[in-house]
Amino acid sequence: MKKIITGEELYDCEAKAIELLCGTVKKTLGPRGSNAIIDHSLMSPFITNDGVTIARNIESEDERINTILTLAKEASIKTDEIVGDGTTTTLVLLESIFKSGLAKIREGINPHILKNELDDALESIIEEIKKESKIPTEENYYDIASIAASNKSIGKLLTSLYLKLKSGSAIKLYESKTSETYTKIINGYSFEPILASPYFFNNTSEITYKNSLILIMTREVNEIEEISEIINYTIEKRIPLVILATDYSEEVINEVLSLNFNKITNVTLLKLPEYGLHQMDVLKDLEAISKAKIVKASDEISLNSLGKCEEIKITKDLAIISNNLKSEAIKRHINKLKERVKTIDDDFELEFLNNRLAKLTNGIGIIYVGATTTTEAREKKMRFDDALCALNCAASGIIPGSGLILLKIKENLETKKSGSTILKEALDKPFMQILENIGVNPKDIYNKIKENDFNVIYNALENKFEPISKTKVIDPTAVVITSLKNAVSIAGILLTTSSLIINEFKENNSYNINNEI
């Protein structure tokens, strides 16, 4: 049976959900924000100060509040998906906007009129933020990464790699098998290999072929006769061969393994990397760099289909093809990809395309994150991830951090309507929360900044004032704008909701179980 919740009961549930979510997460904001220990059913408990990770794990025994929590978490989750940072700031803003908005509704304002006013006020604030934005310098990138990670050594290591590769999409994070953290740049086109059989490694952890041939097919190989001409050619010329195909029969795999074992051939069978449209994109890249011709289902397999690799290395995790990437054909291929970048709006597709470009140009970088314990490694990896996301966002513009720009906008924001009044009240909350979390009086700091006409900023990590022109406290513009947008969006949805419909049995069952425990 369904239960419908409306009126003041709904407002109370929404208020409790927002207080539980935002009140927990906001304590982590800033360079000296606190951590949270999170229990997990599938792994050992871990420590983090990552806002969205904490938010995802917050639940309530009350099914009504839990349902609203799921919706409210979207503000933080969406910010994380779009810019990868600013998730805690989003919830700090959400809490203020929702509380003030609820107060206005209780005073009699129509929720939908209020939402429209919030949206209008948001647009004018975003325009003001953009006016303050500037293009980052190399030093700015280091400052941004250090602040996002709350760690200077992480900022330094990550920024150094980022500037070498000129792309955040080209950097991957893995947990190190030791306590050491180190980086590695891989030059050449790389992809994740899927071996037809683990026995191709033959008691070694790496296959390396010099001046190898490569055959690429978007079809299955069911009989050895299909590739016998190619195999015989490699035997005659004593040339190693790598084949990529959709799949292979057991007969084909065993026959090739037998030839390898008897040292007649050096052939490795791989299944096609990636899936769907991404698979064809990777194959087109391999076709361009090796000059192979992709063999489709209806095509004949011939020597003309073969491409060449100066060197190919295959491990369990990575296959790397090293070829001359400066040929005119590859340059044309790269230029086509660069043109496509300009037309793509989807963030996931854009990241994939930038990753392909990185492999074809400057290479990709891997950071192996080391720590003494698994818990420490997981927490450290999250810091690297936050910093990497901040660097990616910073490329499009930066502003002074610690909520200073929002403070400055607040001073000059006109409040003719309730929506602009609510947002004006919210704009100083990130600044106030950062200072609260380090144990200083926010009002004293605010007055000092205001006296200097917002030309100084307070460095919360080092407990000192700095001129705006020299400060290392910086935020990516996109992070601040996205945080505001998502906070206003979710607050608007909650404020214009008039009823909550839940499964009454589920609510009662949850209550009874908790009581029995």
Side-chain angles (χ1 to χ4, degrees):
M1 186 174 178
K2 298 291 183 180
K3 181 177 180 180
I4 301 172
I5 299 162
T6 60
E8 281 300 319
E9 184 183 357
L10 174 60
Y11 291 149
D12 287 342
C13 289
E14 287 181 335
K16 287 175 183 176
I18 292 296
E19 185 177 354
L20 177 61
L21 176 65
C22 303
T24 303
V25 177
K26 70 183 182 182
K27 294 171 185 175
T28 68
L29 186 63
R32 296 191 181 182
S34 57
N35 293 324
I37 300 174
I38 299 175
D39 188 19
H40 201 287
S41 58
L42 300 177
M43 60 181 76
S44 59
F46 63 97
I47 298 170
T48 183
N49 71 344
D50 181 61
V52 72
T53 303
I54 297 169
R56 287 179 192 273
N57 284 276
I58 294 173
E59 295 178 355
S60 171
E61 295 176 352
D62 189 321
E63 193 60 34
R64 300 167 303 169
I65 294 173
N66 221 28
T67 303
I68 297 163
L69 270 174
T70 303
L71 177 63
K73 288 176 188 179
E74 279 297 306
S76 183
I77 292 168
K78 279 293 180 186
T79 301
D80 182 60
E81 288 175 354
I82 296 169
V83 291
D85 196 17
T87 55
T88 306
T89 300
T90 303
L91 294 181
V92 170
L93 291 165
L94 171 62
E95 181 181 40
S96 177
I97 296 165
F98 175 79
K99 283 183 176 179
S100 299
L102 185 56
K104 292 289 183 184
I105 289 171
R106 281 172 167 158
E107 288 173 8
I109 190 171
N110 181 283
H112 293 282
I113 291 174
L114 179 60
K115 184 183 183 303
N116 290 336
E117 289 178 2
L118 284 170
D119 292 339
D120 290 341
L122 174 64
E123 289 305 313
S124 63
I125 291 170
I126 289 173
E127 287 306 311
E128 291 302 315
I129 293 171
K130 288 179 178 178
K131 288 177 185 177
E132 301 285 345
S133 183
K134 68 173 186 176
I135 300 300
T137 63
E138 286 192 8
E139 189 178 350
N140 291 150
Y141 279 117
Y142 163 70
D143 296 333
I144 287 162
S146 299
I147 290 167
S150 297
N151 186 296
K152 288 184 178 180
S153 62
I154 288 176
K156 185 176 181 181
L157 185 146
L158 184 57
T159 305
S160 175
L161 188 61
Y162 180 87
L163 293 174
K164 283 178 186 175
L165 299 174
K166 297 180 175 61
S167 171
S169 300
I171 298 175
K172 304 298 174 187
L173 300 172
Y174 296 101
E175 286 188 22
S176 173
K177 293 179 181 178
T178 69
S179 59
E180 223 180 308
T181 297
Y182 59 97
T183 64
K184 185 178 180 181
I185 294 178
I186 297 172
N187 293 310
Y189 194 89
S190 59
F191 58 92
E192 190 175 331
I194 307 171
L195 267 77
S197 167
Y199 293 109
F200 279 101
F201 279 117
N202 192 23
N203 298 321
T204 183
S205 60
E206 181 182 290
I207 299 168
T208 302
Y209 293 151
K210 300 276 189 181
N211 299 315
S212 166
L213 296 174
I214 184 169
L215 177 64
I216 305 169
M217 298 183 284
T218 56
R219 58 187 273 186
E220 294 183 11
V221 183
N222 295 312
E223 297 179 5
I224 194 68
E225 286 77 18
E226 295 176 53
I227 54 173
S228 59
E229 182 186 5
I230 305 292
I231 297 288
N232 289 333
Y233 180 76
T234 64
I235 294 171
E236 180 189 340
K237 299 294 182 180
R238 294 184 178 275
I239 302 173
L241 170 69
V242 173
I243 300 177
L244 287 92
T246 304
D247 208 347
Y248 308 86
S249 67
E250 285 296 320
E251 177 206 335
V252 171
I253 294 170
N254 292 333
E255 186 70 31
V256 173
L257 283 171
S258 176
L259 290 169
N260 285 353
F261 182 76
N262 290 300
K263 298 184 178 179
I264 298 171
T265 59
N266 276 320
V267 178
T268 298
L269 303 181
L270 297 177
K271 296 182 183 181
L272 297 180
E274 294 289 346
Y275 301 94
L277 294 175
H278 283 182
Q279 184 177 87
M280 188 51 63
D281 287 336
V282 171
L283 296 187
K284 285 178 180 176
D285 292 342
L286 292 174
E287 185 180 40
I289 64 176
S290 68
K291 295 184 179 178
K293 293 178 182 177
I294 297 175
V295 180
K296 298 176 183 176
S298 58
D299 297 339
E300 284 188 15
I301 303 169
S302 70
L303 296 177
N304 292 329
S305 307
L306 293 169
K308 293 182 179 180
C309 305
E310 291 174 7
E311 182 180 85
I312 181 166
K313 290 184 179 180
I314 304 169
T315 66
K316 290 179 180 179
D317 300 317
L318 211 61
I320 308 165
I321 295 177
S322 300
N323 260 11
N324 176 19
L325 297 179
K326 295 181 180 179
S327 70
E328 288 303 315
I330 293 175
K331 284 179 182 177
R332 285 194 298 271
H333 183 66
I334 289 170
N335 287 334
K336 284 181 183 178
L337 295 183
K338 286 180 177 177
E339 287 301 313
R340 277 189 63 194
V341 166
K342 299 174 185 177
T343 63
I344 293 178
D345 294 326
D346 184 88
D347 291 329
F348 180 71
E349 290 300 320
L350 186 60
E351 183 178 355
F352 181 73
L353 184 52
N354 280 326
N355 187 254
R356 290 172 63 198
L357 276 169
K359 292 174 184 179
L360 291 166
T361 51
N362 299 315
I364 64 169
I366 297 177
I367 299 177
Y368 294 95
V369 182
T372 307
T373 64
T374 303
T375 302
E376 183 190 353
R378 202 177 298 150
E379 192 269 343
K380 196 172 177 182
K381 189 168 177 281
M382 285 181 181
R383 290 180 184 271
F384 268 102
D385 191 53
D386 284 347
L388 182 56
C389 289
L391 286 177
N392 286 334
C393 291
S396 59
I398 58 170
I399 54 175
S402 284
L404 182 75
I405 293 303
L406 297 183
L407 277 185
K408 185 177 178 182
I409 292 170
K410 174 178 177 161
E411 274 303 301
N412 302 312
L413 188 66
E414 293 185 8
T415 54
K416 293 179 180 179
K417 296 181 180 179
S418 295
S420 54
T421 302
I422 289 169
L423 284 190
K424 183 167 185 173
E425 290 174 3
L427 291 181
D428 66 357
K429 294 303 184 290
F431 169 83
M432 296 292 184
Q433 191 63 50
I434 289 169
L435 298 182
E436 235 176 76
N437 287 348
I438 65 172
V440 300
N441 189 329
K443 290 184 179 178
D444 292 342
I445 305 296
Y446 175 73
N447 290 335
K448 178 78 171 175
I449 290 172
K450 190 176 177 181
E451 285 171 14
N452 285 273
D453 198 26
F454 298 93
N455 288 315
V456 297
I457 194 167
Y458 186 73
N459 186 327
L461 181 63
E462 299 180 9
N463 288 328
K464 66 177 185 179
F465 289 96
E466 296 174 344
I468 285 289
S469 58
K470 296 181 180 179
T471 188
K472 297 180 182 296
V473 183
I474 301 164
D475 283 333
T477 309
V479 169
V480 179
I481 290 175
T482 304
S483 296
L484 261 170
K485 279 184 175 180
N486 289 333
V488 170
S489 174
I490 296 300
I493 290 170
L494 290 174
L495 292 171
T496 53
T497 299
S498 60
S499 59
L500 170 65
I501 304 170
I502 61 170
N503 190 319
E504 190 173 22
F505 171 77
K506 188 176 180 182
E507 182 196 20
N508 291 335
N509 191 45
S510 174
Y511 176 79
N512 290 333
I513 289 170
N514 287 319
N515 276 351
E516 286 173 14
I517 291 170

